[in-house]
Amino acid sequence: MQAKKQCLIDRPTAVPLKHVRATSERIEKFISDIYFTDVNLYGRVDKRIEGGVKIFTAPGLQTDSITDVFAFPKWTPATVGTPFTPLWSQHWVKVEVDHVNVDDENLKLFLHWDVSGAESLVYVNSDIPKQGLSDKRKEVCVKEGDKLYIQVSCTGLFGAGKNGMINPPDENRTFSLSACHLVKRDKIKYSVYMDLCVLYDITKECKDHDTLKYDAMLLGNEIINLITKENHSLQSYHQAKQLANKLWRSDDGNCGSKDRIHAIGHCHIDSAWLWPWRETVRKVARSWSTTLSLMDNAHDFHFACSQVCQYDWLKNYYPKLYKKMRSFIKAGKFVPVGGSWVEMDTNIPSGESLIRQFLYGQKFYRKEFGVFSNILWLPDTFGYSAQLPQIMKQCGVDYFLSQKLSWNLTNTFPHNTFYWKGIDGSKVLAHFPPGDTYESHIDVKDILKSANNNKDKGRTHDHMLLFGYGDGGGGPTADMLERLDRLQHVQGLPNIVRSTPTEFFNVLEKELLCEWWGELYFELHRGTYTTHAKLKENNRRCESLLTKLEFVYSLTNESVAMVTENIEKLWKIVLFNQFHDIIPGSSIEQVFKDAMSDYDKFYELYKVTWDLLTGGAEPIRDQVVVNPFHWTRTEVIKVKDNDAESYQLVSVPPLSCQVPGVVEPVDKAGIFVLDNGNICMCNSIIKSVFDPKGRMISFLHRPSKRECIPAGQYGNQFVIFDDIPLFWDAWDVMEYHVETRKEYEPSGIKVVEETPLRCILQIELSLGDHGSGTVDVILDANLPYLKFSAEVKWLGIHKFLKVEFPLTVMAMEAEYDIQSGFVKRPTHANTSWDAARFEVSGHKWAHLGEPGFGVGVMTRSKYGYSAQSNRLTVSLLRSTTAPDGNADIGSHVIEYALYPHAGPLYSSKLVQHATNYNSPLRLVAAPKTPPTACPPLNIKTEGGEDEVVIQSIKRAESGEGVVVRLYEPYGNTVVLNMNVAEGNKHVHRVNAVEEVMYDLTGTNTITVKPFEIVSLLVK
């Protein structure tokens, strides 16, 4: 008998029509920590336990040593509300877990903890830290009978800025214990809670045309119906898990998307910033112990971690935690990356400094872990030098990761994955994660952005997503890893794989990608080239002193263990303070004071080390002059005879450490007062004229008869600009500041000194309410450039002081000294890319030139420049108030020079003169062991001594031989002739971390390509 067919009109509707907003918000309220927590799921996951904890404090115990804590005899009972002060102080709390019964396998016990957002480090029944606590992570898993020792640091994740994160710290801030109680967590409810959190996230972030949005929304709605109809029974939660798992697991593990996201745990920690470096040591312990605890609990993820100095801190301050970390490094879970001592700034450090970042960083990695990182990891640095690709390749580093250019204010950088070529043609594979973050939470928004924002679609479908809280937040959280478990294989979302940085870059190696040639200029944070002038002055000076010290040490016949050890310590002082928030000047005042203290320690240790070479307290022998460069130097020096000072013109041979030879000047320096009151100072090469006020009205290059200053304009023109950025005070100078330019006239001039070897004029400098000072104008016999030494008392607030030189030179590009070479940048604003370069970085010089004539400005401590049309400008001082409220206020000595020349840049000798200017000849005590007759390697080029520059001569790290490092400075290909000194038998080409590349023994010549850096090991 045939069944009667049911009429369609009688069939019950299977699913009611669902309103998208109402349904999605229903899911949101069911998991809300604010609304309906008395009846929703969030309120059922954790149940607070009253009692069960005893709280004690250790009054007066200021220590980082857990041994001292265990031995502390006078613990005092405490309660919620206990205050902790002052800022940056350390306090200890003991918490005893007692009389708590948790006998259900589905329940876990947690201590909830908060001290007004302060950071804390937890030890549980052990002298090894278990994890960190902060406002990003407020719970630690415990059990009956546990004793917790908790170190409270009176600082938040981002310091304690008064009325704003980047403001100077609030020294009166008080922290108090606001939460210390136990909760029981229902594991199955927590798991379903995380399911619904991710379903809601998908519903919220997916577009209206996306089927997955509705799948997630209806599934979430179905789960809520199931749970509420069953009155939150245990069975209903297990059934809800089964429903949710259908969405989380694709049948074949493939989501159907070509996009593949490589998820890697990370915790970016600034080595000093809104907190002093000593607090960073604790941040490292808090964050890395948290990550290791997650790994202990069988969470499957890899954690990438950079900055070798932080590993060194952990080794020295937390040795047992360090030992635990090493086991996870060996297992491949905790992955050292970067290879540099710190995540350094790359605009300000010298080429040799950047090399030493890798040399000492990789040396530590190899010794401690047996690994070598081939990835440079700089996610937060403020722009990237055009010479960095070569330095990376020379140090064995093939890959580069950053994301900072996503902050560009004007132009969008066109790539996320590309080959980056340096000025010498060296090429590295670069990746900027398209999620534009290194602190993802593994939510749907970040995952979709990572896929959709990829600017290299079609060329690659792979991209990296770094997840975890930074700056002490502890890196990945359990919630993040739960979301990763669920989102890894969802149909309709990109594929997500748990990866390592090396695995990721190995995939990219197979892709055909675009190239970007030259610097990666950051269109923001341009003020960091100038902020905190004293840091930059000390950095340049220390780099120069190390060049001399290592050179002299390489010439001595004996190796002194203490000297070798001290040189490494000296370098590490310099390298640490090149961190990307220290040397740029973008940290709080305490960081500045710590850095200045470091430089004081540098000079003390430098003297001790020099004394080891010279005999120290022994009677002073003949004084010598050190010339670590391979050209003859003829310069005026100051000598002392008893109490009298005088000048001598001395000639010092290349690569020497010896008593200088006194020579007669070919010409003399002179000063003449003209009938109209103008003052003229000149030698046979240059002639400069100043009016009675001290304004520079003429600067003549006498051999070419070329006037450098346009008629009616003034050289050495001091100007002040308003300097009020949009937000990032110490970091940013905005393009509109140029519209506020105000000139300041000097108020007088006088002759200070007039000798045949040196003449000095002194100009009175008036800067209105913003400061005052003097400028000494110095001209030496035989010297082709004019020197300026300004002593400025700077009082400006949110003002920017510069000195300008308008020039009779027309050029569409200016050249700027960078590490081991130079770059060209526009003097116009034809495009938005050109206009964005209104303030740029440079090292020892900037140059404006025509094919037959040019003028360079040389500086001894400045890194900020600009060239607009025919005006060459040096940035001198800023006066920002955040995060340091007193940045640059006070007295400064500022030295610069003006150098005119005939012919093009490549024949100008500007590089050599700027190198000399930054390393002035001075009499020093002679080494107690006489230097060898000559350096280990004599070099010459077919075009003359100025075609290459010796950057460093040092003893090899192996202890065998000497490393000579040089570079080609002008962009030419040159042939280098080598003569090995007697007693040396072998020459090898090595890379910058001193690995042998090939043997050059018996070879007399090598070809050096444009801007190439060459390292030679002679032994």
Side-chain angles (χ1 to χ4, degrees):
M1 180 176 171
Q2 189 174 7
K4 184 179 178 182
K5 186 180 292 186
Q6 184 178 5
C7 179
L8 288 177
I9 198 168
D10 296 330
R11 181 180 294 173
T13 302
V15 179
L17 181 66
K18 302 300 295 179
H19 186 272
V20 172
R21 177 181 171 184
T23 308
S24 62
E25 288 197 19
R26 183 193 188 195
I27 302 171
E28 178 194 15
K29 296 304 186 291
F30 197 67
I31 56 177
S32 172
D33 61 350
I34 299 174
Y35 303 104
F36 309 113
T37 56
D38 55 334
V39 293
N40 71 4
L41 177 54
Y42 177 84
R44 297 169 188 267
V45 173
D46 290 344
K47 290 296 181 183
R48 178 168 174 167
I49 301 172
E50 296 301 328
V53 295
K54 297 177 181 179
I55 310 170
F56 306 87
T57 60
L61 182 60
Q62 289 283 319
T63 182
D64 290 306
S65 169
I66 190 63
T67 303
D68 293 345
V69 175
F70 287 162
F72 189 75
K74 297 181 180 179
W75 291 92
T76 301
T79 60
V80 170
T82 298
F84 299 103
T85 191
L87 185 65
W88 312 126
S89 62
Q90 307 300 311
H91 304 269
W92 286 90
V93 179
K94 180 169 69 172
V95 179
E96 296 179 352
V97 180
D98 198 11
H99 303 299
V100 181
N101 182 24
V102 181
D103 55 5
D104 188 336
E105 291 184 357
N106 190 48
L107 297 178
K108 291 181 72 174
L109 188 64
F110 289 89
L111 176 75
H112 273 222
W113 173 269
D114 189 20
V115 187
S116 306
E119 295 187 73
S120 303
L121 178 63
V122 186
Y123 295 79
V124 182
N125 307 323
S126 170
D127 57 356
I128 302 176
K130 180 169 183 175
Q131 72 169 76
L133 295 169
S134 67
D135 62 356
K136 301 296 185 185
R137 196 182 311 258
K138 297 183 177 182
E139 62 187 31
V140 56
C141 188
V142 296
K143 63 182 185 299
E144 167 81 16
D146 278 350
K147 286 187 178 180
L148 289 75
Y149 294 88
I150 305 176
Q151 182 185 27
V152 177
S153 296
C154 287
T155 174
L157 281 183
F158 295 97
K162 188 173 184 179
N163 301 322
M165 183 183 80
I166 68 167
N167 286 343
D170 182 358
E171 300 292 341
N172 297 316
R173 181 169 175 181
T174 297
F175 297 82
S176 61
L177 181 59
S178 51
C180 181
H181 61 265
L182 297 173
V183 298
K184 293 180 181 179
R185 174 165 298 165
D186 188 306
K187 291 191 285 187
I188 184 65
K189 290 179 181 177
Y190 168 73
S191 184
V192 174
Y193 167 78
M194 290 305 304
D195 287 335
L196 286 168
C197 285
V198 176
L199 289 172
Y200 173 67
D201 201 17
I202 293 172
T203 302
K204 180 178 65 171
E205 298 299 336
C206 286
K207 302 296 183 183
D208 287 346
H209 62 263
D210 195 330
T211 301
L212 179 61
K213 178 186 184 78
Y214 302 96
D215 290 344
M217 181 185 73
L218 295 176
L219 178 57
N221 188 70
E222 186 177 358
I223 288 173
I224 294 173
N225 286 337
L226 171 64
I227 292 171
T228 53
K229 285 178 181 178
E230 296 294 327
N231 198 26
H232 292 267
S233 69
L234 179 62
Q235 181 181 2
S236 71
Y237 283 106
H238 284 291
Q239 290 174 339
K241 283 300 302 176
Q242 293 175 3
L243 285 174
N245 284 341
K246 294 179 180 179
L247 189 66
W248 306 146
R249 301 287 181 262
S250 62
D251 294 336
D252 59 358
N254 191 310
C255 304
S257 170
K258 286 186 175 182
D259 287 293
R260 184 165 53 173
I261 294 173
H262 296 248
I264 300 170
H266 185 49
C267 179
H268 172 77
I269 304 179
D270 289 303
S271 290
W273 180 30
L274 302 176
W275 53 87
W277 72 268
R278 192 61 187 83
E279 192 57 45
T280 313
V281 177
R282 302 182 188 101
K283 285 177 178 284
V284 169
R286 291 189 285 261
S287 295
W288 296 5
S289 62
T290 302
T291 294
L292 295 174
S293 291
L294 283 174
M295 292 177 174
D296 273 338
N297 293 327
H299 285 288
D300 181 22
F301 69 103
H302 297 92
F303 182 79
C305 192
S306 67
Q307 302 205 75
V308 181
C309 81
Q310 295 181 5
Y311 288 88
D312 193 36
W313 285 338
L314 199 72
K315 178 183 177 181
N316 291 320
Y317 291 97
Y318 300 90
K320 292 185 178 180
L321 181 60
Y322 181 77
K323 182 178 179 181
K324 179 180 179 179
M325 179 198 67
R326 288 184 66 177
S327 67
F328 281 97
I329 291 176
K330 187 175 182 180
K333 291 296 186 180
F334 199 106
V335 184
V337 293
S340 55
W341 192 249
V342 294
E343 288 182 10
M344 65 284 188
D345 179 88
T346 74
N347 291 314
I348 293 169
S350 69
E352 192 61 29
S353 287
L354 293 181
I355 286 172
R356 300 306 175 96
Q357 289 281 354
F358 292 108
L359 179 68
Y360 294 119
Q362 301 283 23
K363 180 180 178 180
F364 184 96
Y365 274 178
R366 279 174 161 159
K367 179 181 177 182
E368 296 293 320
F369 314 132
V371 302
F372 184 97
S373 175
N374 64 345
I375 304 168
L376 176 56
W377 195 273
L378 298 178
D380 199 33
T381 297
F382 313 148
Y384 306 96
S385 165
Q387 191 61 290
L388 195 54
Q390 180 181 191
I391 291 172
M392 289 171 59
K393 294 295 284 188
Q394 292 265 353
C395 294
V397 178
D398 300 313
Y399 308 128
F400 176 57
L401 180 130
S402 181
Q403 64 83 48
K404 199 65 176 183
L405 264 63
S406 66
W407 287 38
N408 271 7
L409 194 61
T410 306
N411 299 284
T412 300
F413 190 74
H415 301 294
N416 291 105
T417 306
F418 59 101
Y419 283 103
W420 180 26
K421 292 181 71 173
I423 54 175
D424 75 312
S426 294
K427 186 165 67 172
V428 296
L429 179 55
H431 181 68
F432 297 171
D436 294 343
T437 182
Y438 46 79
E439 289 187 311
S440 170
H441 300 166
I442 298 289
D443 52 26
V444 176
K445 180 179 180 180
D446 286 345
I447 290 167
L448 290 176
K449 182 177 181 180
S450 187
N452 297 334
N453 196 45
N454 177 21
K455 301 180 186 68
D456 295 281
K457 293 183 177 74
R459 291 183 284 273
T460 180
H461 302 288
D462 288 82
H463 18 273
M464 189 185 294
L465 186 65
L466 300 173
F467 65 95
Y469 290 113
D471 284 325
T477 65
D479 284 1
M480 293 177 193
L481 294 169
E482 291 284 344
R483 287 195 288 271
L484 179 58
D485 287 342
R486 288 159 175 78
L487 292 168
Q488 195 163 356
H489 301 298
V490 175
Q491 287 283 349
L493 290 179
N495 287 285
I496 304 176
V497 296
R498 301 165 199 252
S499 188
T500 68
T502 297
E503 290 169 349
F504 169 73
F505 277 105
N506 285 343
V507 171
L508 294 186
E509 285 277 14
K510 303 171 186 176
E511 309 287 6
L512 187 62
L513 302 168
C514 296
E515 291 182 350
W516 180 274
W517 199 324
E519 70 178 326
L520 294 171
Y521 178 82
F522 184 38
E523 296 177 0
L524 206 64
H525 294 4
R526 304 167 182 91
T528 58
Y529 314 146
T530 305
T531 306
H532 265 310
K534 291 188 185 298
L535 293 178
K536 294 164 172 67
E537 177 184 353
N538 280 281
N539 176 74
R540 181 85 62 88
R541 183 184 176 201
C542 291
E543 289 174 336
S544 176
L545 287 172
L546 280 166
T547 299
K548 293 178 181 178
L549 178 63
E550 289 191 308
F551 168 68
V552 171
Y553 185 37
S554 74
L555 295 181
T556 58
N557 290 319
E558 60 178 323
S559 175
V560 182
M562 186 64 73
V563 173
T564 302
E565 180 181 328
N566 286 357
I567 286 174
E568 183 165 335
K569 289 179 180 178
L570 289 166
W571 267 114
K572 286 179 179 177
I573 291 173
V574 174
L575 300 181
F576 175 75
N577 287 294
Q578 290 173 347
F579 175 72
H580 68 256
D581 272 312
I582 300 180
I583 196 66
S586 49
S587 294
I588 60 172
E589 186 173 15
Q590 186 58 53
V591 173
F592 167 73
K593 290 179 178 178
D594 288 346
M596 295 302 290
S597 176
D598 278 350
Y599 289 127
D600 288 340
K601 293 173 185 175
F602 176 98
Y603 300 128
E604 291 172 7
L605 183 58
Y606 187 92
K607 183 181 184 305
V608 168
T609 309
W610 192 268
D611 286 347
L612 287 171
L613 292 176
T614 62
E618 297 178 10
I620 295 177
R621 292 164 299 282
D622 290 335
Q623 289 190 311
V624 296
V625 169
V626 179
N627 178 14
F629 310 116
H630 75 289
W631 51 76
T632 300
R633 297 178 62 177
T634 303
E635 298 173 24
V636 174
I637 65 170
K638 186 176 287 188
V639 296
K640 214 173 199 181
D641 186 6
N642 295 323
D643 293 330
E645 288 186 340
S646 61
Y647 297 110
Q648 288 182 350
L649 183 65
V650 299
S651 181
V652 185
L655 300 173
S656 64
C657 174
Q658 65 183 54
V659 177
V662 179
V663 298
E664 289 297 319
V666 176
D667 73 336
K668 297 179 180 179
I671 294 178
F672 307 94
V673 179
L674 306 180
D675 292 342
N676 58 5
N678 293 341
I679 300 178
C680 171
M681 63 189 318
C682 62
N683 59 22
S684 63
I685 306 169
I686 54 178
K687 174 184 174 183
S688 187
V689 181
F690 296 82
D691 72 10
K693 287 186 175 182
R695 297 179 297 191
M696 185 179 185
I697 59 176
S698 174
F699 188 60
L700 181 70
H701 181 245
R702 301 182 78 175
S704 67
K705 299 181 182 179
R706 181 73 177 258
E707 172 60 55
C708 300
I709 305 297
Q713 300 185 50
Y714 306 109
N716 197 44
Q717 175 67 64
F718 281 78
V719 289
I720 293 180
F721 302 82
D722 289 348
D723 190 12
I724 306 171
L726 299 177
F727 177 72
W728 297 100
D729 194 1
W731 295 260
D732 287 345
V733 57
M734 310 308 296
E735 71 275 7
Y736 50 75
H737 88 284
V738 300
E739 301 169 29
T740 65
R741 176 179 178 272
K742 184 176 181 180
E743 297 180 357
Y744 285 82
E745 287 188 352
S747 56
I749 187 171
K750 64 181 179 181
V751 178
V752 172
E753 193 164 7
E754 184 177 5
T755 74
L757 294 181
R758 175 168 291 172
C759 295
I760 302 176
L761 298 175
Q762 188 172 88
I763 298 169
E764 287 294 324
L765 187 62
S766 176
L767 302 173
D769 295 335
H770 312 307
S772 60
T774 61
V775 182
D776 286 353
V777 186
I778 306 162
L779 181 64
D780 288 350
N782 284 63
L783 202 65
Y785 52 86
L786 188 65
K787 297 183 286 187
F788 300 84
S789 179
E791 294 188 13
V792 177
K793 184 177 181 181
W794 182 235
L795 305 173
I797 299 296
H798 286 296
K799 300 294 179 181
F800 199 165
L801 177 66
K802 303 185 183 186
V803 64
E804 297 177 345
F805 290 94
L807 301 171
T808 58
V809 176
M810 180 177 291
M812 292 188 67
E813 293 177 312
E815 295 85 15
Y816 300 88
D817 179 41
I818 63 167
Q819 299 89 349
S820 313
F822 69 84
V823 293
K824 296 182 179 182
R825 300 184 180 111
T827 61
H828 54 78
N830 285 356
T831 70
S832 60
W833 294 86
D834 299 330
R837 286 168 165 79
F838 59 85
E839 182 81 7
V840 297
S841 64
H843 283 201
K844 297 184 289 291
W845 57 266
H847 177 264
L848 203 60
E850 300 165 355
F853 185 79
V855 180
V857 174
M858 305 182 294
T859 73
R860 279 190 176 152
S861 62
K862 298 304 168 187
Y863 295 90
Y865 298 89
S866 61
Q868 303 297 322
S869 187
N870 68 328
R871 182 185 295 129
L872 204 53
T873 304
V874 182
S875 298
L876 304 180
L877 296 169
R878 300 183 71 211
S879 46
T880 60
T881 59
D884 182 350
N886 300 297
D888 284 319
I889 299 300
S891 298
H892 299 265
V893 176
I894 303 167
E895 296 178 295
Y896 51 97
L898 193 63
Y899 171 57
H901 64 88
L905 175 62
Y906 68 81
S907 64
S908 68
K909 296 185 183 292
L910 174 58
V911 173
Q912 287 70 25
H913 287 304
T915 302
N916 293 345
Y917 182 62
N918 276 268
S919 183
L921 296 178
R922 290 193 175 96
L923 289 169
V924 295
K928 60 182 178 181
T929 301
T932 54
C934 59
L937 187 69
N938 292 316
I939 59 173
K940 293 182 179 179
T941 57
E942 295 178 351
E945 65 181 11
D946 58 342
E947 287 196 319
V948 295
V949 175
I950 288 183
Q951 179 169 294
S952 173
I953 297 180
K954 63 179 291 290
R955 286 183 178 268
E957 293 297 305
S958 66
E960 297 183 6
V962 170
V963 173
V964 178
R965 186 155 28 250
L966 55 91
Y967 69 94
E968 192 288 315
Y970 291 111
N972 295 316
T973 298
V974 300
V975 177
L976 189 68
N977 297 308
M978 303 183 302
N979 292 310
V980 179
E982 186 176 349
N984 295 299
K985 297 180 179 179
H986 302 284
V987 181
H988 292 88
R989 177 76 186 267
V990 295
N991 65 12
V993 291
E994 301 182 16
E995 298 169 326
V996 173
M997 299 166 63
Y998 48 83
D999 192 354
L1000 286 170
T1001 304
T1003 304
N1004 293 324
T1005 64
I1006 60 171
T1007 299
V1008 184
K1009 296 181 295 184
F1011 301 120
E1012 184 180 7
I1013 301 169
V1014 175
S1015 300
L1016 302 169
L1017 173 62
V1018 186
K1019 60 181 180 179

